[in-house]
Amino acid sequence: DFRKENKALKKEIDKLNFAEKKLSNVQSELGHTNEKLEENIEKFRKLDSNLKQLGKSNIKGLEALQKKSKQIMATIHEDLIRHEKEVLNKVFDYLEFNDKQEGFTEEEFEEFWKRMPDSYLQRFKDSGLTFEKIAGKDGIIDQGEFTDMVDRLAEDEGMNGGSIGDVDLK
């Protein structure tokens, strides 16, 4: 009976010794991991400090760059709108000079839309404008009425990326 109990205790002691070694290894690994984390935290603090200093010195440069970028984008936007107006006016002129009558009749207006990029036609439809609304009582769209429509559509088209290369002048 004593031998069985002694053997069971020895087995229990061996298990505890094994568990102690494992725990000791885990503790050692955790210690090394903790040291690495502390080193990384210190490196991060230095990096953070350097970035803050760099950021302060670069803020003025970034603000100037942002201002310049906004100016360039505004210029590009203005150029795009100017281009869109030119596209509309070229088609108007092309169709206008093919007859002796000044302005657009409803038939010429329909021909105008057949030659325009789909994006313009969709914008025109979405605008709620019609031939009748633009032409007024005389039933002819004159240069002034056309220009008012062009200003509106070119601005919309320019805001949405433009229509370069989509016009049919044949």
Side-chain angles (χ1 to χ4, degrees), residues 45-57:
R45 284 185 182 136
K46 287 179 183 176
L47 177 63
D48 187 51
S49 175
N50 290 339
L51 287 174
K52 284 179 183 174
Q53 289 174 349
L54 182 63
K56 288 176 185 175
S57 68

Side-chain angles (χ1 to χ4, degrees), residues 13-25:
I13 290 172
D14 287 344
K15 283 182 184 178
L16 288 173
N17 283 335
F18 181 76
E20 179 190 17
K21 283 181 184 178
K22 264 188 146 177
L23 286 174
S24 180
N25 286 339

Side-chain angles (χ1 to χ4, degrees), residues 26-140:
V26 168
Q27 181 183 14
S28 176
E29 287 176 21
L30 287 174
H32 291 303
T33 301
N34 209 16
E35 287 174 15
K36 292 281 185 194
L37 286 173
E38 287 176 10
E39 288 174 16
N40 287 336
I41 288 171
E42 187 56 35
K43 287 178 185 176
F44 179 75
R45 284 185 182 136
K46 287 179 183 176
L47 177 63
D48 187 51
S49 175
N50 290 339
L51 287 174
K52 284 179 183 174
Q53 289 174 349
L54 182 63
K56 288 176 185 175
S57 68
N58 283 335
I59 285 176
K60 289 191 189 291
L62 289 173
E63 287 172 347
L65 183 62
Q66 185 180 30
K67 184 178 178 183
K68 185 70 171 174
S69 174
K70 285 181 181 180
Q71 289 171 341
I72 290 170
M73 289 303 292
T75 300
I76 290 171
H77 178 72
E78 289 169 11
D79 289 345
L80 188 56
I81 290 171
R82 188 172 27 261
H83 168 77
E84 297 305 327
K85 287 180 180 182
E86 287 173 9
V87 166
L88 290 164
N89 282 307
K90 281 181 183 177
V91 175
F92 178 84
D93 290 343
Y94 176 79
L95 293 173
E96 175 64 12
F97 290 118
N98 281 338
D99 68 5
K100 297 188 193 258
Q101 180 185 358
E102 197 168 306
F104 269 0
T105 63
E106 189 166 3
E107 185 179 307
E108 289 171 318
F109 192 65
E110 288 174 14
E111 182 64 26
F112 170 80
W113 286 112
K114 288 178 185 175
R115 297 174 181 272
M116 296 308 300
D118 291 340
S119 58
Y120 274 103
L121 181 57
Q122 188 59 51
R123 243 176 261 308
F124 176 72
K125 288 177 180 177
D126 292 346
S127 74
L129 294 173
T130 63
F131 175 81
E132 292 77 17
K133 287 181 184 177
I134 298 167
K137 292 180 183 178
D138 65 358
I140 300 290

